């Protein structure tokens, strides 16, 4: 494509999507995310980049998802999805950041530079799938994305309002037709079909109750479950709350992130003691479970609990198949509760890999195992299976003895039930319900597998989050100087104490995590570490207090 044909890139920017702010915006762990009012020019430019990425991938389809996930409604964001349904290749994050921040006058020349840098064949066709969440700002941003694709003569296909995992699924299927059909209906056919198939092999028994309460976070996940609910044929009775009506605001005092971070039940849900409740986040890629006891205290079953539940069941099925040469491993981040890591390694005897926060890091580490289970404590995760694993289990299902075939057929359905491309609240919900049903367990029995250490997360607003540097999968701080020494000194004064600090991937805050033997101690340690961050890393606003 000669430079003269890039003039439309500038024309679209100047006339329809001008850059109106000098605020620097960075492609983080979840793409670009900030106030929706600052994003229109960014999303337009990501439409340009998606076309270039498609051409660099020989015309394979790239995804663009307009969402700010668990953030509140005034925010929005955009992230790119690579052909296999995975996050954008990390080397392209710097390119995305550069393209997003240049002036309109430099946009044409910068686009030309990037075309040469990535060696994009501009004669190739380019395909981009675009999805969005339920935010009122999403349609305008999706339109900007379409214009970006058009400006470089790519082909855009709009999916409208979908969960983030549905778009990941569709991108994967478009590029690999053995995985499924690249439509929302194709997603339901595979995921819900596998759930119904596996439940027909598992009679309801023990203490398992088919009724599940769901907090939809007033987002897209609840809306999609409302569609799915009618097709479950009584295998699971979904009681849905927070579906976006009655003035409910997206992620406000509800949803997976609120439940996990605040350690409180969401508003808008009726609670019966010991009834299972699943909380989704705004775009449907996170899920946590919880219940309230007879004293109305909330008990949280987070991503660590989901990971251990799924890993233990897959291990059980592998034993049933008499398959011993497949390597199963579990991937966590520093946010994983210390008690869960101990349970996984000592009781389940499953190896654990710890990586930096961000699903892309967990996903890539999980791929190093034959079966990789990865979850962040916030409820974002899935299971990935190698081709060797799938072929091995399929062979057992055909050639094994009666019990081996039975276990293998269950595992094959379990694999089909899994959205391997990304964390998926709907898929994960069905996976959890499958395991609980198979074992006849209620939430108390699930909770009894191990005892979490009390923990607390806090945020400290700082002038520049990039002043915080970390190592050892973000468990140790290397900058500012002396901050880690201060953290270590504070931790040493608490029984079972552990704490770390890390810069947010999406906003100018530092995240603080602490755990100890009591909730009071965990709260106090978190507050003291927050004070240290404020003092040494350029805190802004009110100083944290020990009573926080």
């Amino acid at each position: 494509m000669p430079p003269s044909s890039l003039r439309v890139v500038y024309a679209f920017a100047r006339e329809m999507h001008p850059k109106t702010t000098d605020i620097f915006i960075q492609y983080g762990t979840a793409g670009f995310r900030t106030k929706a009012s600052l994003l229109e020019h960014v999303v337009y430019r990501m439409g340009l980049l998606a076309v270039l990425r498609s051409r660099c991938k020989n015309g394979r389809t790239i995804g663009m998802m307009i969402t700010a996930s668990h953030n509140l409604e005034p925010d929005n964001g955009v992230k790119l999805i690579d052909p296999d349904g995975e996050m954008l290749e990390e080397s392209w994050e710097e390119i995305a950041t550069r393209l997003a921040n240049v002036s309109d006058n430099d946009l044409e020349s910068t686009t030309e530079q990037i075309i040469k840098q990535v060696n994009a064949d501009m004669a190739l066709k380019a395909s981009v799938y675009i999805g969005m969440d339920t935010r009122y700002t999403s349609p305008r941003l999706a339109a900007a994305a379409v214009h970006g694709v058009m400006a470089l003569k790519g082909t855009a296909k709009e999916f409208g309002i979908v969960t983030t995992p549905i778009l990941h699924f569709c991108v994967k299927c478009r590029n690999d037709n053995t995985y499924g059909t690249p439509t929302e209906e194709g997603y339901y056919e595979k995921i819900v079909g596998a759930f119904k198939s596996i439940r027909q092999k598992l009679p309801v028994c023990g203490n398992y109750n088919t009724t599940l309460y769901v907090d939809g976070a007033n987002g897209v996940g609840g809306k999609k479950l409302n569609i799915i609910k009618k097709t479950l044929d009584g295998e699971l009775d979904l009681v849905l709350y927070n579906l976006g009506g009655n003035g409910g605001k997206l992620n406000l005092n509800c949803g997976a992130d609120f439940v996990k971070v605040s350690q409180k039940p969401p508003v808008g849900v009726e609670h019966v003691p010991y009834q299972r409740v699943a909380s989704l986040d705004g775009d449907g890629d996170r899920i946590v479970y919880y219940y309230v006891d007879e004293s109305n205290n909330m008990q949280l079953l987070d991503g660590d609990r989901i990971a251990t539940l799924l890993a233990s069941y897959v291990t059980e099925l592998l034993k049933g198949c008499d398959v011993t040469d497949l390597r199963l491993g579990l991937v966590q981040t520093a946010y994983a509760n210390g008690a869960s890591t101990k349970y996984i390694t000592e009781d389940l005897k499953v190896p654990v890999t710890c990586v930096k926060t961000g699903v892309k890091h967990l996903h890539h580490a999980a791929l190093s195992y034959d079966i990789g289970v990865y979850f962040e404590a916030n409820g974002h995760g899935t299971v990935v299976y190698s081709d060797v694993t799938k072929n091995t289990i399929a062979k057992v299902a055909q050639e094994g003895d009666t019990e081996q075939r039975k276990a293998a057929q269950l595992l094959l359905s379990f694999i089909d039930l899994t959205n391997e491309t990304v964390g998926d609240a709907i898929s994960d919900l069905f996976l959890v319900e499958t395991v609980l049903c198979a074992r006849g367990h209620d939430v108390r029995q699930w909770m009894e597998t191990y005892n979490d250490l009390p923990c607390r997360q806090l945020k400290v607003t700082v002038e520049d989050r990039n002043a915080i540097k970390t190592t050892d999968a973000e468990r140790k701080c290397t900058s500012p100087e002396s901050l880690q020494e201060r953290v270590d000194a504070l931790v040493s004064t608490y029984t079972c104490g552990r704490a770390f600090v890390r810069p947010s991937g999406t906003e100018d805050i530092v995240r603080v995590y602490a755990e100890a033997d009591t909730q009071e101690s965990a709260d106090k340690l978190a507050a003291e570490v927050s004070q240290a961050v404020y003092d040494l890393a350029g805190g802004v606003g009110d100083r944290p207090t020990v009573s926080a």
Side-chain angles (χ1 to χ4, degrees):
M1 179 179 284
S4 60
S5 61
L6 291 179
R7 285 176 188 158
V8 69
V9 168
Y10 171 64
F12 260 118
R14 183 192 63 204
E15 298 298 330
M16 303 188 71
H17 311 293
K19 185 173 185 286
T20 58
T21 175
D22 291 329
I23 295 174
F24 183 83
I25 181 166
Q26 187 171 349
Y27 198 103
T29 54
F32 293 105
R33 191 177 298 175
T34 187
K35 297 300 177 190
S37 58
L38 303 177
L39 274 171
E40 191 169 330
H41 75 281
V42 175
V43 177
Y44 165 68
R45 293 161 185 220
M46 290 308 98
L48 303 174
L49 193 67
V51 171
L52 300 185
R53 183 67 178 160
S54 175
R55 287 181 172 137
C56 284
K57 289 295 183 178
N58 203 32
R60 298 176 81 202
T61 296
I62 298 297
M64 286 184 71
M65 185 67 197
I66 311 297
T67 183
S69 188
H70 58 279
N71 287 33
L72 295 179
E73 200 165 83
D75 291 347
N76 215 320
V78 59
K79 61 181 179 179
L80 269 59
I81 301 167
D82 261 354
D84 289 331
E86 298 179 13
M87 300 292 187
L88 178 67
E89 183 182 306
E90 193 164 1
S91 65
W92 277 61
E93 293 178 10
E94 180 277 328
I95 298 172
T97 299
R98 180 163 31 117
L99 187 62
N101 288 284
V102 297
S103 69
D104 287 336
N105 288 335
D106 292 331
L107 181 59
E108 187 178 331
S109 60
T110 301
T111 302
E112 185 181 355
Q113 291 164 12
I114 292 170
I115 290 169
K116 292 176 181 175
Q117 176 185 343
V118 301
N119 197 26
D121 182 350
M122 301 303 285
L124 285 174
K125 291 182 178 179
S127 168
V128 181
Y129 280 5
I130 299 170
M132 62 182 177
D133 69 14
T134 57
R135 294 164 203 269
Y136 64 90
T137 55
S138 291
R140 176 172 55 82
L141 295 178
V146 171
H147 289 159
V149 174
M150 289 169 54
L152 286 181
K153 295 182 167 49
T155 300
K157 179 175 180 180
E158 295 185 78
F159 282 73
I161 294 173
V162 289
T163 67
T164 293
I166 288 177
L167 191 68
H168 280 258
F169 173 90
C170 290
V171 170
K172 167 74 171 176
C173 293
R174 178 65 180 83
N175 296 304
D176 176 8
N177 60 17
T178 66
Y179 194 71
T181 305
T183 62
E184 187 173 331
E185 293 72 22
Y187 170 88
Y188 297 145
E189 182 181 330
K190 182 174 183 181
I191 301 294
V192 181
F195 175 70
K196 288 159 72 172
S197 171
I198 203 169
R199 285 296 278 261
Q200 285 159 12
K201 301 183 183 89
L202 297 171
V204 176
C205 63
N207 295 319
Y208 180 74
N209 185 330
T210 58
T211 300
L212 173 67
Y213 291 14
V214 180
D215 158 31
N218 295 311
V220 61
K223 293 181 184 298
K224 299 308 180 186
L225 278 178
N226 206 22
I227 295 170
I228 291 169
K229 174 182 177 179
K230 300 158 189 170
T231 68
L232 292 177
D233 302 335
E235 299 293 349
L236 187 63
D237 178 21
L238 298 175
V239 183
L240 306 176
Y241 297 92
N242 294 333
L243 298 182
N246 302 317
K249 295 288 188 183
L250 183 68
N251 295 319
L252 182 62
N253 299 321
C254 62
D257 191 63
F258 171 81
V259 171
K260 170 64 179 172
V261 174
S262 71
Q263 306 275 306
K264 296 176 184 176
V267 300
V269 179
E270 298 174 20
H271 293 102
V272 176
Y274 300 106
Q275 172 62 55
R276 290 189 318 286
V277 187
S279 273
L280 283 54
D281 73 335
D283 69 330
D285 64 1
R286 293 184 183 186
I287 184 172
V288 297
Y289 275 71
Y290 73 90
Y291 64 92
V292 296
D293 59 24
E294 67 276 357
S295 301
N296 210 34
N297 295 317
M298 190 193 84
Q299 306 295 330
L300 179 66
L301 295 140
D302 62 7
D304 297 336
R305 295 277 180 180
I306 295 171
T308 55
L309 183 76
L310 302 187
S312 64
Y313 186 62
V314 172
T315 301
E316 192 179 297
L317 291 179
L318 287 173
K319 287 178 182 174
C321 295
D322 195 25
V323 171
T324 57
D325 55 350
L326 294 177
R327 188 161 175 260
L328 183 146
L330 204 145
V331 185
Q332 297 183 316
T333 71
Y335 284 107
N337 195 279
S340 76
T341 309
K342 184 177 180 183
Y343 170 73
I344 295 159
T345 54
E346 296 182 6
D347 291 66
L348 298 182
K349 311 232 179 288
V350 169
V352 172
T353 300
C354 185
V355 298
K356 287 170 59 178
T357 304
V359 70
K360 63 187 176 186
H361 303 299
L362 288 102
H363 190 92
H364 292 153
L367 292 173
S368 67
Y369 293 105
D370 293 305
I371 302 172
V373 182
Y374 72 84
F375 269 84
E376 294 182 291
N378 62 29
H380 195 298
T382 189
V383 188
V384 292
Y385 305 87
S386 69
D387 288 339
V388 170
T389 296
K390 293 173 183 176
N391 293 335
T392 300
I393 302 305
K395 187 175 181 182
V396 175
Q398 292 292 325
E399 302 174 4
D401 64 30
T402 302
E403 289 305 309
Q404 289 170 350
R405 287 201 308 272
K406 183 178 176 183
Q409 286 162 0
L410 279 172
L411 185 48
L412 287 176
S413 292
F414 203 73
I415 291 170
D416 275 344
L417 182 53
T418 308
N419 185 348
E420 296 180 67
T421 65
V422 74
D424 182 342
I426 292 174
S427 167
D428 292 339
L429 179 151
F430 287 136
L431 290 171
V432 167
E433 294 303 313
T434 295
V435 181
L436 294 178
C437 179
R439 293 183 170 166
H441 282 183
D442 61 16
V443 280
R444 280 178 283 192
Q445 289 167 293
W446 182 11
M447 181 65 84
E448 285 166 1
T449 50
Y450 63 86
N451 294 317
D452 273 322
L453 287 167
C455 63
R456 177 63 63 200
Q457 293 184 49
L458 295 176
K459 303 174 183 178
V460 182
T461 304
V462 294
E463 290 179 2
D464 179 12
R465 59 179 155 158
N466 295 314
I468 298 283
K469 306 291 185 187
T470 63
T471 188
D472 189 24
E474 300 181 310
R475 290 176 288 190
K476 296 290 182 184
C477 183
T478 57
S479 177
E481 192 176 349
S482 78
L483 178 55
Q484 187 59 48
E485 290 178 23
R486 187 107 159 248
V487 172
D488 290 342
L490 291 168
V491 166
S492 68
T493 64
Y494 290 88
T495 303
C496 299
R498 182 171 76 93
F500 66 89
V501 302
R502 56 173 288 271
S504 166
T506 55
E507 49 190 319
D508 272 330
I509 59 171
V510 176
R511 300 189 185 277
V512 173
Y513 176 91
E515 62 188 28
D517 61 332
T518 68
Q519 190 63 58
E520 182 182 8
S521 293
D523 291 348
K524 191 174 179 186
L525 176 57
E528 289 173 347
V529 172
S530 295
Q531 286 182 333
V533 170
Y534 186 94
D535 292 341
L536 297 173
V540 174
D542 295 335
R543 285 184 94 252
T545 60
V546 173
S547 61

